[in-house]
Amino acid sequence: MKASDGAVIYVGKAIRLRTRVRSYFGEAGKPKPLTSQMMRYVTEVDYIVTETEVEALLLENNLIKAHQPRYNVKLKDDKRYPYLRVTVNEPFPRIHITRKAENDGTRYFGPFVHARSTRQTLKQLTKLFPIRTCTLPLAEVRNKYRVCLDYHIGRCPGPCADKIDVPDYDEIVQKVCQFLSGNTNAVVKELTEQMQAAAEALDFETAAKYRDTLKDVQQAITTQNMDSVSAADEDVIGIAVRTDIACVQLLRVRDGKLLEREHYYLNDADPESLATALSAFISQYYQNAVFVPKTVVLPMQIESMELIENWLSEKQGNRVGLHVPKAGRLRKLQILATKNAEILLTQREQNVVYSSGVEPALVELQELLGLKHPLRRIEAYDISNLGDRFAVGSMVVLEDGKPASAEYRRFKIRSVEGQDDFAMMQEIITRRFRRALADDEKFNKLPDLMLIDGGKGQLSAAQAAMNFCRSLQGKTCYSKAASSQLPDIPLIALAKRIEEIFVPGKSEPIVLREDNPTLHMIQRLRDEAHRFAVTYHRRLRQKSLSASVLDEIPNVGPRRKQALLQHFGSIEAIREASLDGLLSVKGIPRSVAENIRKHL
């Protein structure tokens, strides 16, 4: 989160970015005083997408240490995540945990996010690959120390007492380094087999120990790209392209740590000339750059690559290389940069209309359907029934992207016998627009788009209803109204199973990606129409279940029914009551008492 001057004032991480950011602006609960104070200064929110939660945690650590944000409490001290250090510059290398990585000729593995898992992994390593963990100064030969407990329990081969020579010990060290570099298949396989063997022998306690050890090992060796042991300075470039525009994402790695990102948009770009556009960008970007790193990582070969390398090297005063990685850490970082560029392009497409106050999903839907007018009002229709009983319909309304509950309408199906969803849909739409033609104030607002819950059948029924209503426009009973002209209102249908969008006149449905915001908006509207219809249907059904024979008697409403039941206790007792007995009930006049006697 940044202030108006661009200063970073808070760094955080989130699995669900939308939920996390909204929590700072939500009204639920009382916000913390520090959060309320911070939000007064936040003018911009920027983010970087990582591959894993571990990478996000390490990146958060790097950024907090680099920017020292005012409102971050944790991680601002000099505490670092742990590394495993193998002292390969000694005759008999040892392994131990350290929190500081230096360029001292030894090998460092990490950083590891979980300190406990790192300790458990080190413990497991010495079981699988006996390697010393002590600090004794050992020579290649003539070491005359006494062996410790680790030797007796098989966790150290005893180089301190010349129990092993240097070549054999080096083989163990190589296996340890391979394991820590990610070649863990053999270890994971052995632990898995031991766990399964213990479980088959019904030794579940031992199996659980192997399971926990396996989990610790897998957690500790999780790879990440945010923090490198090397102190390299690198600029990692990714690029994504859409029609007529490209986005370049530049990740700045300093001292082996990813610290910043920048992005730029290139107009008039296309996939065919991407290499040319990227070459021009690099020339322009580094023209006025104060610092050029030793390595610039690119997604592809570019024009005049050798010439640009020589120019950058001359500008910086030392060798600068343009590198297109095929594998490894730099390749992963480059893929990450490209992924962030694609996300920025998508975000730009969605946000380009925010300044006009129009919901981006509405604009995308308008463009998707090829409509000229904006979708200010959308109406959605659905049917709910139980066989042929209690059939109802619903109409819900979205105005400027927001539900307009005051405009919701419900219909009790009158003319359809049996279970015929198509005919029911036709009835409710006909009734809705006949009342609009008659200038009924409850239905006089016309939609810019109609959404039907269902597939091609429901869509065809809605079309037939609209055609019938248009045929009524010239009839005398509707021609008196000044606003009785029914325009061509576009219709679409959303089928539930695969979420296909059917459009009249098109044989193939429109299928949007599951994460598309426009699809989400249509789904929410469809689901709201379904909810409104089902609620009305259940209300009618419940009312039917609570009905009695007293409801059929003229002038016996809920209050009189309640008074009679309270006085007599049952319908049978009311049936056997005399006229005088009925008249003794408060609120029952003679005419009503006679009606009760007659009906019962």
Side-chain angles (χ1 to χ4, degrees):
M1 292 184 174
K2 298 180 180 179
S4 57
D5 59 355
V8 177
I9 60 175
Y10 179 77
V11 175
K13 64 183 184 304
I15 296 175
R16 292 180 61 85
L17 182 65
R18 174 186 175 87
T19 303
R20 178 66 188 277
V21 173
R22 286 184 65 184
S23 69
Y24 289 96
F25 298 92
E27 299 177 359
K30 187 177 180 181
K32 297 178 181 179
L34 195 63
T35 301
S36 300
Q37 182 182 352
M38 177 185 75
M39 294 311 298
R40 293 204 300 265
Y41 302 105
V42 175
T43 60
E44 181 184 353
V45 178
D46 197 7
Y47 62 90
I48 299 175
V49 177
T50 63
E51 290 293 338
T52 65
E53 290 181 56
V54 171
E55 288 188 354
L57 190 61
L58 291 171
L59 180 56
E60 180 189 32
N61 183 28
N62 293 343
L63 294 174
I64 290 175
K65 282 183 168 63
H67 296 286
Q68 295 288 302
R70 168 70 177 82
Y71 294 98
N72 278 97
V73 178
K74 296 181 179 179
L75 301 179
K76 208 185 288 186
D77 55 24
D78 288 331
K79 184 178 180 182
R80 301 169 183 264
Y81 288 113
Y83 295 83
L84 284 176
R85 179 174 181 252
V86 181
T87 58
V88 293
N89 56 350
E90 296 179 354
F92 292 97
R94 62 190 179 93
I95 186 171
H96 66 102
I97 296 174
T98 180
R99 290 187 179 270
K100 189 174 183 180
E102 298 176 319
N103 190 10
D104 55 4
T106 62
R107 290 195 67 177
Y108 291 87
F109 299 92
F112 300 96
V113 175
H114 305 283
R116 176 186 170 279
S117 296
T118 309
R119 289 192 293 270
Q120 290 295 325
T121 300
L122 179 58
K123 184 178 178 181
Q124 186 66 23
L125 261 177
T126 57
K127 287 182 182 178
L128 301 168
F129 310 111
I131 182 173
R132 75 184 185 106
T133 58
C134 64
T135 58
L136 294 175
L138 302 183
E140 291 188 8
V141 292
R142 297 179 183 177
N143 294 300
K144 298 183 178 180
Y145 297 97
R146 288 184 61 184
V147 293
C148 64
L149 181 62
D150 281 352
Y151 173 77
H152 294 291
I153 62 176
R155 294 191 178 182
C156 177
C160 58
D162 286 347
K163 301 288 185 181
I164 188 172
D165 57 20
V166 172
D168 290 341
Y169 191 85
D170 282 345
E171 287 185 14
I172 298 174
V173 173
Q174 287 180 359
K175 290 180 180 178
V176 170
C177 293
Q178 286 176 356
F179 175 85
L180 293 174
S181 298
N183 187 10
T184 61
N185 293 338
V187 176
V188 170
K189 182 180 179 181
E190 183 178 349
L191 287 171
T192 303
E193 289 174 351
Q194 290 172 333
M195 178 182 67
Q196 291 172 346
E200 289 172 1
L202 304 182
D203 187 359
F204 299 115
E205 187 175 345
T206 302
K209 290 181 180 178
Y210 283 125
R211 179 202 62 201
D212 294 341
T213 301
L214 183 63
K215 182 179 178 182
D216 286 332
V217 169
Q218 290 174 330
Q219 190 176 52
I221 61 175
T222 300
T223 57
Q224 53 83 25
N225 306 302
M226 300 297 107
D227 203 342
S228 171
V229 175
S230 71
D233 294 330
E234 299 150 341
D235 280 353
V236 182
I237 295 175
I239 189 167
V241 64
R242 297 279 199 278
T243 306
D244 298 330
I245 191 166
C247 177
V248 175
Q249 175 74 75
L250 188 144
L251 303 179
R252 288 181 178 172
V253 179
R254 299 295 181 261
D255 292 328
K257 297 177 176 61
L258 176 57
L259 296 180
E260 293 181 274
R261 79 162 189 179
E262 293 182 78
H263 64 272
Y264 301 89
Y265 294 106
L266 311 180
N267 294 322
D268 301 323
D270 63 79
E272 301 297 328
S273 60
L274 212 52
T276 304
L278 193 56
S279 177
F281 165 78
I282 292 172
S283 301
Q284 293 177 38
Y285 178 79
Y286 289 108
Q287 177 68 42
N288 300 314
V290 177
F291 173 79
V292 181
K294 287 186 177 181
T295 304
V296 178
V297 179
L298 303 177
M300 64 187 74
Q301 297 286 334
I302 62 172
E303 290 185 354
S304 308
M305 197 159 173
E306 186 177 351
L307 181 64
I308 293 175
E309 276 186 336
N310 294 334
W311 169 64
L312 292 175
S313 300
E314 184 180 342
K315 177 180 175 62
Q316 186 61 20
N318 52 47
R319 181 64 183 167
V320 175
L322 301 182
H323 183 48
V324 183
K326 301 297 182 184
R329 182 182 66 88
L330 290 180
R331 175 58 180 163
K332 292 179 180 178
L333 274 175
Q334 195 282 311
I335 292 173
L336 190 67
T338 299
K339 183 178 180 180
N340 276 270
E342 291 172 348
I343 291 172
L344 284 168
L345 269 186
T346 302
Q347 183 188 36
R348 185 180 187 275
E349 291 174 349
Q350 293 175 354
N351 289 350
V352 73
V353 292
Y354 268 128
S355 58
S356 62
V358 180
E359 174 69 32
L362 291 175
V363 175
E364 184 180 352
L365 181 58
Q366 177 188 339
E367 294 175 351
L368 191 68
L369 300 175
L371 304 177
K372 296 180 180 179
H373 57 272
L375 302 178
R376 306 305 298 268
R377 179 185 173 99
I378 304 177
E379 294 179 359
Y381 298 85
D382 190 22
I383 298 294
S384 180
N385 56 54
L386 185 64
D388 58 348
R389 301 184 64 204
F390 315 116
V392 298
S394 69
M395 180 189 92
V396 301
V397 179
L398 200 70
E399 289 188 340
D400 294 327
K402 298 178 181 179
S405 56
E407 299 290 323
Y408 287 13
R409 301 290 181 263
R410 59 194 184 195
F411 306 85
K412 189 185 293 185
I413 301 300
R414 299 171 181 169
S415 62
V416 180
E417 295 182 1
Q419 187 174 2
D420 188 342
D421 285 2
F422 301 156
M424 292 177 186
M425 181 64 70
Q426 199 166 347
E427 178 186 325
I428 66 170
I429 291 180
T430 301
R431 286 166 56 187
R432 184 261 183 268
F433 286 101
R434 287 184 71 167
R435 294 180 68 173
L437 289 170
D439 251 9
D440 187 327
E441 61 179 13
K442 291 185 178 181
F443 292 91
N444 58 6
K445 292 183 180 179
L446 297 180
D448 300 304
L449 176 69
M450 294 168 60
L451 171 64
I452 309 300
D453 183 7
K456 289 184 177 180
Q458 285 84 355
L459 183 62
S460 298
Q463 280 185 282
M466 293 300 293
N467 292 334
F468 173 74
C469 291
R470 289 192 191 95
S471 70
L472 299 176
Q473 290 183 145
K475 301 292 177 68
T476 305
C477 56
Y478 298 106
S479 61
K480 296 178 182 179
S483 59
S484 62
Q485 293 301 309
L486 193 60
D488 288 332
I489 300 173
L491 296 95
I492 59 172
L494 182 63
K496 283 190 178 73
R497 190 170 63 87
I498 315 179
E499 304 293 35
E500 297 171 316
I501 302 172
F502 292 97
V503 180
K506 293 186 178 180
S507 57
E508 295 297 323
I510 298 171
V511 180
L512 300 177
R513 286 173 45 177
E514 291 183 1
D515 59 352
N516 188 291
T518 300
L519 177 61
H520 294 169
M521 180 192 69
I522 300 172
Q523 287 172 327
R524 287 195 298 270
L525 184 57
R526 185 268 316 274
D527 293 344
E528 176 68 356
H530 180 71
R531 180 199 66 80
F532 196 56
V534 168
T535 301
Y536 184 39
H537 167 79
R538 287 174 178 167
R539 186 184 303 174
L540 292 181
R541 196 171 63 185
Q542 188 63 35
K543 186 177 179 181
S544 171
L545 293 174
S546 63
S548 75
V549 292
L550 296 177
D551 294 326
E552 301 173 4
I553 302 174
N555 299 320
V556 176
R559 288 187 179 181
R560 286 175 174 167
K561 182 172 72 171
Q562 185 179 9
L564 287 165
L565 290 172
Q566 285 179 347
H567 185 86
F568 293 103
S570 68
I571 297 294
E572 190 61 33
I574 299 172
R575 180 180 288 111
E576 294 175 356
S578 64
L579 185 61
D580 291 336
L582 293 172
L583 290 172
S584 67
V585 179
K586 185 179 179 181
I588 302 295
R590 178 172 291 274
S591 59
V592 174
E594 290 175 350
N595 278 337
I596 294 172
R597 292 275 296 170
K598 179 181 178 181
H599 278 79
L600 296 183

